[in-house]
Amino acid sequence: MNKARSTALLERARQVIPGGVNSPVRSFRSVGGGPLFIKKGEGCRLIDEDGNSFIDYIGSWGPLILGHRPKCVIEAIEAVLEIGTSFGAPTEREIVLAEAIRDAYPTMEMVRLVNSGTEAAMSALRVARGYTGRDLAIKFEGCYHGHVDSLLVKAGSGLATLGLSDSAGVPAAFAATTISLPYNDLGAVEAAFANHRGKIACVMIEPVVGNMGCVPPAPGFLEGLRKICTREGALLIFDEVMCGFRVAYGGAQERYGVKADMTALGKIIGGGLPIAAYGGRAEVMNYIAPVGPIYQAGTLSGNPLAVSAGLAMLKYLKEHPEVYETLERRTAALCSDELPGVTVNRVGSMFTFFFTNEPVTDWESAKKCDTARFGEFFRHMLERGVYLAPSQFEAGFVGLAHEDADIEATREAARQFFAV
Ligand code: KE4
């Protein structure tokens, strides 16, 4: 595969951008070779600067459930250009988007729009602390909630990919406010509350994990967290930035029937533009300025471009519920082959091929994967025109633009890797 232009662009990028990328997981560091510089996306495909075409299973790390440049989103963005890009003042369409989110997530009685998943998770954490008057937070090893100082503790995604258990630059005092526990381990959660009774503000969780690779909640796990948080007066925060509107129109809360006190959303609600949201019970959300004492703000929060793209995306998904059945069927087909030395986890249209023979149910089991072998697999697939997440500890995503033929071509490429 010719990568001359990407290679040259990487060298130039490294002179002015750390590692040549604006987000570490894009670096290909853990899979070998350098990142591809993308010229355009179309449908389920990415075309790089050297003209190579790939079936894209990243979809901008989750947002592009309809594929690249879906007509409804592009038309919505074009229409906004007639009226402006940002006002720094309220607009009607922000109300419409907040109402659409509340429609999908009834537990989100009130919603605040922000600009990234990090902001959404960070703000929800602050609200939980302000509302409960408690400082400690429980998270789970391998889960990632954006680069929030106090949540960069045994986090997933880029930290797991790069083998960093925590980030430099986070004061020990901040990290000490976070209790990081094994995913799917209710006993550990009970013990943490017993040891810190009355001091834990919230339990923050990816109800379907994407950031250590795709890991589903064990039966009863989410229900157990709900019971414990209710008993202990702590807020249950579902970080659905990745799985929201992905595993069901109402996300994990719809799929598993467990109600969160607060929810963080991102990715799909922006249709590929920078927008995110957090929300929860009105009683909790009314602690936020300007109504209450908890401060959170944002220059571009609710800007018309991103809001319109998001509205178009949610409108399409609401009006076409069959999308979820299609995605379920196609992803099940993609994940249906028995591949030697591989454990496949899938929830809806999120999936990960873990290079291990063991079940992957938490970070301890995920980190046993043969990451070198995953790197070989990644490079093999790339050579055959299939662009997977460049990390063993990330999820892949099937979108509506992936046709059956794309799925079959991907399965054939994967079978060839194991045939040799
Ligand atoms: P952003 O700040 O990147 O918009 O969202 C942070 C975030 C929060 N919560 C969850 C569950 C997330 O998955 C994310 C972001 N996910 C990563 C992919 N693993 C974004 C990709 C990247 O870091 O470049």
Side-chain angles (χ1 to χ4, degrees):
M1 176 170 65
N2 174 22
K3 291 181 63 176
R5 188 147 166 64
S6 280
T7 304
L9 286 168
L10 179 60
E11 278 323 301
R12 187 175 140 207
R14 280 193 175 127
Q15 309 310 311
V16 68
I17 301 171
V21 292
N22 281 309
S23 198
V25 283
R26 304 176 188 174
S27 67
F28 280 31
R29 278 278 172 102
S30 71
V31 292
L36 302 177
F37 281 68
I38 303 305
K39 192 179 190 75
K40 82 174 283 188
E42 196 66 60
C44 76
R45 285 190 170 269
L46 284 173
I47 294 89
D48 72 8
E49 287 287 352
D50 293 286
N52 302 305
S53 175
F54 304 89
I55 302 170
D56 174 18
Y57 286 101
I58 297 186
S60 184
W61 300 93
L64 304 181
I65 194 169
L66 301 182
H68 292 277
R69 304 183 67 251
K71 190 166 177 291
C72 60
V73 171
I74 298 300
E75 287 177 350
I77 294 169
E78 286 169 344
V80 170
L81 296 178
E82 301 297 318
I83 58 115
T85 55
S86 179
F87 306 120
T91 61
E92 180 183 2
R93 71 186 77 221
E94 293 164 69
I95 309 169
V96 179
L97 181 57
E99 289 168 345
I101 290 171
R102 183 181 61 185
D103 169 62
Y105 282 80
T107 57
M108 296 176 79
E109 294 173 356
M110 298 195 83
V111 175
R112 176 56 71 82
L113 299 178
V114 292
N115 302 284
S116 71
T118 296
E119 267 192 86
M122 171 180 72
S123 306
L125 174 61
R126 184 180 309 134
V127 171
R129 287 172 163 157
Y131 174 76
T132 62
R134 303 175 182 179
D135 290 344
L136 302 185
I138 287 176
K139 74 173 289 290
F140 294 89
E141 291 164 18
C143 287
Y144 175 71
H145 306 290
H147 59 95
V148 193
D149 269 355
S150 64
L151 292 176
L152 284 178
V153 175
K154 296 182 184 166
S157 188
L159 285 106
T161 299
L162 300 174
L164 301 172
S165 63
D166 312 307
S167 171
V170 176
F174 286 27
T177 61
T178 304
I179 303 162
S180 197
L181 301 174
Y183 196 78
N184 279 325
D185 185 341
L186 275 180
V189 178
E190 287 286 12
F193 274 99
N195 293 334
H196 304 280
R197 194 146 323 275
K199 295 180 183 158
I200 297 173
C202 63
V203 173
M204 185 177 292
I205 188 167
E206 290 185 64
V208 175
V209 188
N211 288 293
M212 60 176 113
C214 179
V215 174
F221 180 57
L222 299 178
E223 294 82 350
L225 291 179
R226 177 64 278 165
K227 284 198 186 78
I228 293 170
C229 285
T230 302
R231 184 192 74 211
E232 299 288 341
L235 297 191
L236 180 56
I237 302 176
F238 274 12
D239 179 347
E240 295 211 33
V241 167
M242 188 184 280
C243 64
F245 293 95
R246 165 70 61 179
V247 298
Y249 185 69
Q253 285 171 78
E254 176 185 320
R255 194 174 182 108
Y256 297 102
V258 174
K259 293 182 177 175
D261 296 304
M262 294 185 78
T263 304
L265 296 172
K267 296 185 191 271
I268 287 176
I269 72 165
L273 268 67
I275 188 169
Y278 69 100
R281 298 200 314 264
E283 176 217 352
V284 175
M285 294 298 285
N286 279 319
Y287 269 68
I288 300 169
V291 188
I294 301 169
Y295 197 71
Q296 179 267 314
T299 302
L300 295 175
S301 296
N303 75 80
L305 265 180
V307 167
S308 298
L311 272 174
M313 178 70 95
L314 298 197
K315 181 172 183 293
Y316 187 96
L317 294 173
K318 172 92 173 167
E319 291 173 355
H320 300 82
E322 71 281 3
V323 166
Y324 292 98
E325 295 146 35
T326 303
L327 294 182
E328 193 82 30
R329 176 174 55 77
R330 286 188 186 153
T331 316
L334 177 69
C335 298
S336 59
D337 296 317
E338 283 294 317
L339 303 173
V342 174
T343 293
V344 181
N345 280 3
R346 176 181 75 83
V347 178
S349 55
M350 290 172 62
F351 67 94
T352 298
F353 294 173
F354 288 104
F355 276 67
T356 176
N357 286 310
E358 305 296 316
V360 179
T361 59
D362 58 13
W363 175 237
E364 276 311 305
S365 46
K367 72 181 183 184
K368 290 177 185 165
C369 286
D370 182 343
T371 52
R373 183 99 169 109
F374 175 82
E376 292 166 20
F377 177 64
F378 173 85
R379 294 193 299 276
H380 164 92
M381 297 298 276
L382 201 63
E383 284 290 338
R384 284 155 187 77
V386 177
Y387 193 108
L388 298 172
S391 163
Q392 171 66 94
F393 307 118
E394 291 287 356
F397 304 93
V398 173
L400 199 61
H402 289 97
E403 301 290 346
D404 291 341
D406 301 309
I407 300 290
E408 289 316 307
T410 306
R411 291 176 67 188
E412 179 51 31
R415 284 193 288 263
Q416 287 170 9
F417 178 75
F418 295 96
V420 295

